[in-house]
Every structure is written in C-alpha cells, then in structure tokens.
Amino acid sequence: GQQVMQIPQYQHVQEGEDFTTYCNSSTTLSNIQWYKQRPGGHPVFLIQLVKSGEVKKQKRLTFQFGEAKKNSSLHITATQTTDVGTYFCAGWSGGSNYKLTFGKGTLLTVNP
Amino acid sequence: EAQVTQNPRYLITVTGKKLTVTCSQNMNHEYMSWYRQDPGLGLRQIYYSMNVEVTDKGDVPEGYKVSRKEKRNFPLILESPSPNQTSLYFCASRRQGLGSTDTQYFGPGTRLTVL
C-alpha cells in the first residue's frame, strides 16, 4: 500500500534558525496536506498542495510540492518558540479510494 | 463555532467490554474519518465516511466498526477491545472529500486504555 516517509524524525534548533521537514511518497499523489500538532493537542490543518511544482507561503512557512508529485517539504524561516510541535504531511493518491496516509511526523523543538 | 467533539475524552476499560466513542461535527461536513495515534507510528486512518451510509476502511480497520446514520455523527465502535487498541483516537471532518481543497478539522482526541 501507499507509504509516506517523513524526515527527520526530530529536529532541535536555536530560535532564529531555519527548519525544514521532508516527505516522500511511494506513489504519485493527487494532493498533499500539512498539519501541525502542539504537544498535548490535536492536529491542525495548515495547507493543501495540489499542483505539480506548487509553492505556497504562509508568513514564515513555505510549502513545496515536487514536480513528480511524490515529495513535498515544509520550510520555516527564523523559527520562534511558538513553532514548537510535530509537523505531519498526509498524502492522498486520488481516485475513488479516499484513504489519507500520514507521515510519522517531525518533532520540532526550539531553544529560546 | 465550528467544531468536532468527541466523547469520552479519556476512558479506561477492560479487555472484551464493548465501547463506543462518539464523534459529532456541527459544520454539515460530508467527509468524516477516524485515526489512531501511537508513539513512533504517527497517525493512521481507521475508517472514513464520504457521506451518510457510505463508509470504507482505512489502513488499520481490524477490531473497529463505524456507522454513519446521520451526517453529523460518526461513532467508533470497539466490539471487543484488546490491549493493543490502547491509543489516542482522533475524529476529523471536512466539507467534501479529499479531492477538494477544504480544511480538515480534528476533534480534541480520546485517550483509550484497555487493560
């Protein structure tokens, strides 16, 4: 079945440093979603990417969808302590199967 | 306020005692889904529903049942819980299926312990 690999598993940064997490799918995706989960909280939807090569920005966050629609990345510029949490990608391969497969997430910690 | 509610939030039970975790959304969403979250395994989809009376298996459906008799409710049923179903469970909903660009909203989670 479809697999979504996410790296790194953990990332510790100093406040102000940049952060990137990467997702790779075993199959071509119709779209990919990104979520953030604060410690003790529930996942919160950040964005969905649909088009090949798509780049979207939300303030300090930049999301990319690969040309082959099999990989994606989330980049945070100048991290802040409020960025702490686990970032998940989730991919849908399209068609009539509406299963959503999540990566295992990247836990980001930020040292003030 | 748009929200997904789950009950109970915490539950400790014993092996074999049937239980139901309720999920309700107030946004008239068509797509609802259940996930379990386990350390090191991330979020895994158990079941999803595209609309009333339309449900299908996710990646880890064994040991679970669901029903969708009303649009707003999507209960998760464990007929005979076992310790390996100890987990954090999330219900989620979105306006339409995964082909749309809608936001998926998650409930607060239900922490289940099966002894």
Side-chain angles (χ1 to χ4, degrees):
Chain A
Q2 178 182 303
Q3 291 186 331
V4 176
M5 309 298 291
Q6 192 173 351
I7 58 169
Q9 194 174 355
Y10 307 97
Q11 184 81 59
H12 178 74
V13 300
Q14 289 291 127
E15 190 171 22
E17 292 182 337
D18 293 355
F19 159 77
T20 305
T21 174
Y22 301 90
C23 271
N24 282 289
S25 171
S26 58
T27 60
T28 302
L29 298 172
S30 183
N31 61 48
I32 193 161
Q33 302 165 26
W34 285 92
Y35 294 81
K36 176 183 179 181
Q37 184 177 23
R38 288 203 163 96
H42 58 273
V44 174
F45 178 89
L46 294 175
I47 207 163
Q48 177 168 296
L49 304 174
V50 179
K51 299 177 185 175
S52 170
E54 189 170 15
V55 178
K56 285 190 175 180
K57 292 190 175 185
Q58 289 179 352
K59 297 183 180 178
R60 294 179 294 104
L61 278 60
T62 302
F63 304 85
Q64 291 188 315
F65 201 10
E67 294 289 342
K69 300 185 75 173
K70 294 183 75 172
N71 62 299
S72 181
S73 65
L74 158 59
H75 179 82
I76 302 178
T77 304
T79 54
Q80 300 174 357
T81 54
T82 53
D83 295 325
V84 164
T86 301
Y87 293 85
F88 294 96
C89 61
W92 175 52
S93 56
S96 59
N97 177 343
Y98 285 92
K99 276 199 265 186
L100 188 63
T101 301
F102 278 76
K104 291 183 180 179
T106 297
L107 173 60
L108 171 66
T109 54
V110 180
N111 202 29
Chain B
E1 179 191 355
Q3 61 180 356
V4 178
T5 56
Q6 294 179 227
N7 282 293
R9 294 289 313 280
Y10 303 90
L11 179 60
I12 300 174
T13 190
V14 295
T15 299
K17 185 176 182 182
K18 180 180 178 180
L19 66 94
T20 299
V21 184
T22 63
C23 173
S24 183
Q25 48 93 3
N26 65 357
M27 297 167 278
N28 201 36
H29 284 176
E30 291 185 352
Y31 182 89
M32 297 186 74
S33 189
W34 276 102
Y35 302 88
R36 61 178 289 174
Q37 186 172 32
D38 302 288
L41 297 177
L43 285 150
R44 294 178 292 167
Q45 192 174 42
I46 303 171
Y47 270 94
Y48 62 90
S49 169
M50 287 300 296
N51 213 323
V52 175
E53 303 291 3
V54 182
T55 63
D56 206 349
K57 296 176 182 178
D59 287 321
V60 288
E62 296 78 18
Y64 304 94
K65 284 175 57 176
V66 292
S67 70
R68 188 95 181 270
K69 294 184 176 8
E70 307 166 281
K71 203 169 187 179
R72 64 182 294 125
N73 296 323
F74 190 43
L76 179 69
I77 302 154
L78 285 72
E79 295 268 3
S80 183
S82 62
N84 64 11
Q85 293 178 297
T86 292
S87 187
L88 178 59
Y89 291 87
F90 289 103
C91 180
S93 77
R94 59 186 279 162
R95 189 169 60 91
Q96 292 182 331
L98 296 175
S100 68
T101 56
D102 301 321
T103 298
Q104 178 163 235
Y105 295 88
F106 277 76
T110 295
R111 187 165 292 283
L112 173 66
T113 301
V114 183
L115 302 175

